[in-house]
Amino acid sequence: MYLVVAIQNISILCRNVLNSCVKSQLFHETFAGKTWGNNSNAPVLVVHGRLDNCGTFDPLIPLLPQEYFYVCIDFPGHGKSSPFPVGTPLKFFDFVLTLKRVVDYFNWKEVTCLGHSFGVQTSLYLAAIYPELVTKIIALEIGLGGVETNQLTLRYRERFDQLLSLEKKLANRSPPSYSYAEAANRVKKNRWMSELTDEACSILIKRSLVPNGNGFFFSTDQRFRLGVGPDLTGEQQISIFKQVKCPVLLILGDITEREFWAKADIVKKIYNYFKTEALNISMVTVNGNHDVHLNHPERVSPHIRSFLLSNPSTR
């Protein structure tokens, strides 16, 4: 069942039901997603990672407490959501604003955020900007990066050149078509710090594939492959994360923690802040990689259940 929203009159044509698809017309853009549970329960905004879609949480949500209303969105340019307008680079804070638009549509006064990777990053910024709004954050493998100040112009030059090159490449050209097996292989081959099981890959790509003759093409906005980050130094990001007042549960896969978090320079600064200084962040390490929540949801669900049910807001 669909929930269709016109921003002009906020008309609701159908109510949310279990595993429904929610579509919202916001400033001529369509946000799609899925919901679980009763919409009268406390809300949890569920936010996926870069180049993924809300299907990444399909195996996990049924293992979580049913006392909540889970709203999983497809970010613009992912899954079944329409992309941002062509012609400009994708901007990190537009995605933070996307979360606020969803919160405002549902008229939530408080919300818990459950994110993976890029979804964690945007949730933390939402909580820093609106500390009175976000009561808890479950952070599954936060995606982070950054840039030193003296490298900023070089970063933007690279982004601009890459975007112009991509636009020229895609102009007047139909998206490439793949068989299902070829599409699945491309997704598995290009995962960052991860290896998807066949089942997990099938769950993830079914929202991103569009039939095209005898094959499929990907609906994902290709600009995301150029990177979408706040382009801040480690120190600047830490100063922002210090504005997050709510409890945060950070769940890391041991493979990612060992091979990325403890090595990358800017990320290591933030990792050490989370680990040694941040008073409101609890860190848990589980066996797995960047997609442990999708490959093995049973490894993270007990920690999330405990956090949701027993960790009250500090407000």
Side-chain angles (χ1 to χ4, degrees), residues 237-303:
Q237 294 183 69
I238 289 171
S239 70
I240 290 174
F241 295 144
K242 287 181 178 179
Q243 307 306 310
V244 176
K245 306 303 181 185
C246 65
V248 178
L249 173 64
L250 175 55
I251 302 178
L252 299 177
D254 59 351
I255 296 174
T256 322
E257 185 175 25
R258 181 175 62 251
E259 297 183 6
F260 175 67
W261 278 84
K263 292 184 178 180
D265 288 343
I266 289 180
V267 175
K268 187 175 181 179
K269 293 178 183 177
I270 300 172
Y271 170 80
N272 287 335
Y273 164 72
F274 286 161
K275 194 170 184 178
T276 63
E277 296 182 45
L279 300 179
N280 58 334
I281 295 180
S282 303
M283 294 180 62
V284 175
T285 302
V286 299
N287 177 238
N289 57 33
H290 191 59
D291 290 305
V292 63
H293 73 288
L294 176 57
N295 285 326
H296 302 287
E298 73 284 354
R299 297 181 186 175
V300 301
S301 59
H303 302 289

Side-chain angles (χ1 to χ4, degrees), residues 117-181:
S117 194
F118 182 74
V120 176
Q121 196 175 12
T122 51
S123 296
L124 286 169
Y125 277 77
L126 178 70
I129 296 169
Y130 295 97
E132 76 284 1
L133 177 63
V134 181
T135 58
K136 302 177 188 176
I137 296 176
I138 299 111
L140 299 168
E141 279 282 308
I142 178 175
L144 284 175
V147 60
E148 298 297 350
T149 304
N150 62 356
Q151 294 294 309
L152 191 57
T153 53
L154 178 60
R155 169 70 61 86
Y156 276 104
R157 178 180 177 130
E158 290 174 345
R159 291 265 178 88
F160 291 168
D161 288 347
Q162 289 170 347
L163 177 64
L164 293 171
S165 176
L166 179 64
E167 288 176 343
K168 186 178 298 184
K169 180 179 178 181
L170 297 178
N172 303 316
R173 173 184 140 182
S174 299
S177 183
Y178 306 98
S179 69
Y180 182 87

Side-chain angles (χ1 to χ4, degrees), residues 73-111:
I73 66 164
D74 287 333
F75 264 132
H78 294 74
K80 299 183 182 299
S81 289
S82 60
F84 282 122
V86 300
T88 62
L90 298 176
K91 297 177 283 294
F92 174 80
F93 285 98
D94 286 343
F95 294 91
V96 180
L97 180 58
T98 293
L99 301 187
K100 185 60 165 59
R101 292 194 193 282
V102 174
V103 168
D104 285 354
Y105 162 67
F106 284 102
N107 198 31
W108 293 330
K109 304 305 180 186
E110 292 185 333
V111 66

Side-chain angles (χ1 to χ4, degrees), residues 18-241:
L18 184 66
N19 288 335
S20 67
C21 178
V22 52
K23 287 189 175 181
S24 305
Q25 293 292 336
L26 297 175
F27 297 98
H28 308 292
E29 297 297 328
T30 297
F31 297 142
K34 303 174 70 174
T35 67
W36 280 263
N38 190 322
N39 62 2
S40 65
N41 290 339
V44 178
L45 179 57
V46 189
V47 195
H48 65 77
R50 185 172 67 95
L51 300 173
D52 288 351
N53 57 69
C54 67
T56 188
F57 297 101
D58 282 1
L60 175 62
I61 300 297
L63 303 181
L64 301 184
Q66 298 306 298
E67 295 92 335
Y68 291 86
F69 177 50
Y70 299 92
V71 176
C72 308
I73 66 164
D74 287 333
F75 264 132
H78 294 74
K80 299 183 182 299
S81 289
S82 60
F84 282 122
V86 300
T88 62
L90 298 176
K91 297 177 283 294
F92 174 80
F93 285 98
D94 286 343
F95 294 91
V96 180
L97 180 58
T98 293
L99 301 187
K100 185 60 165 59
R101 292 194 193 282
V102 174
V103 168
D104 285 354
Y105 162 67
F106 284 102
N107 198 31
W108 293 330
K109 304 305 180 186
E110 292 185 333
V111 66
T112 293
C113 291
L114 165 58
H116 171 241
S117 194
F118 182 74
V120 176
Q121 196 175 12
T122 51
S123 296
L124 286 169
Y125 277 77
L126 178 70
I129 296 169
Y130 295 97
E132 76 284 1
L133 177 63
V134 181
T135 58
K136 302 177 188 176
I137 296 176
I138 299 111
L140 299 168
E141 279 282 308
I142 178 175
L144 284 175
V147 60
E148 298 297 350
T149 304
N150 62 356
Q151 294 294 309
L152 191 57
T153 53
L154 178 60
R155 169 70 61 86
Y156 276 104
R157 178 180 177 130
E158 290 174 345
R159 291 265 178 88
F160 291 168
D161 288 347
Q162 289 170 347
L163 177 64
L164 293 171
S165 176
L166 179 64
E167 288 176 343
K168 186 178 298 184
K169 180 179 178 181
L170 297 178
N172 303 316
R173 173 184 140 182
S174 299
S177 183
Y178 306 98
S179 69
Y180 182 87
E182 289 171 335
N185 183 62
R186 286 183 66 86
V187 169
K188 293 179 71 173
K189 180 180 178 181
N190 294 321
R191 292 305 283 180
W192 179 82
M193 298 290 294
S194 180
E195 182 176 340
L196 290 175
T197 66
D198 290 340
E199 180 182 5
C201 182
S202 177
I203 291 170
L204 183 62
I205 68 174
K206 64 183 179 182
R207 284 186 70 86
S208 295
L209 291 183
V210 179
N212 181 26
N214 294 325
F216 302 90
F217 69 87
F218 288 100
S219 64
T220 309
D221 189 334
Q222 294 303 299
R223 286 175 291 179
F224 272 94
R225 298 193 179 279
L226 308 183
V228 182
D231 290 331
L232 301 173
T233 67
E235 291 80 5
Q236 288 172 323
Q237 294 183 69
I238 289 171
S239 70
I240 290 174
F241 295 144

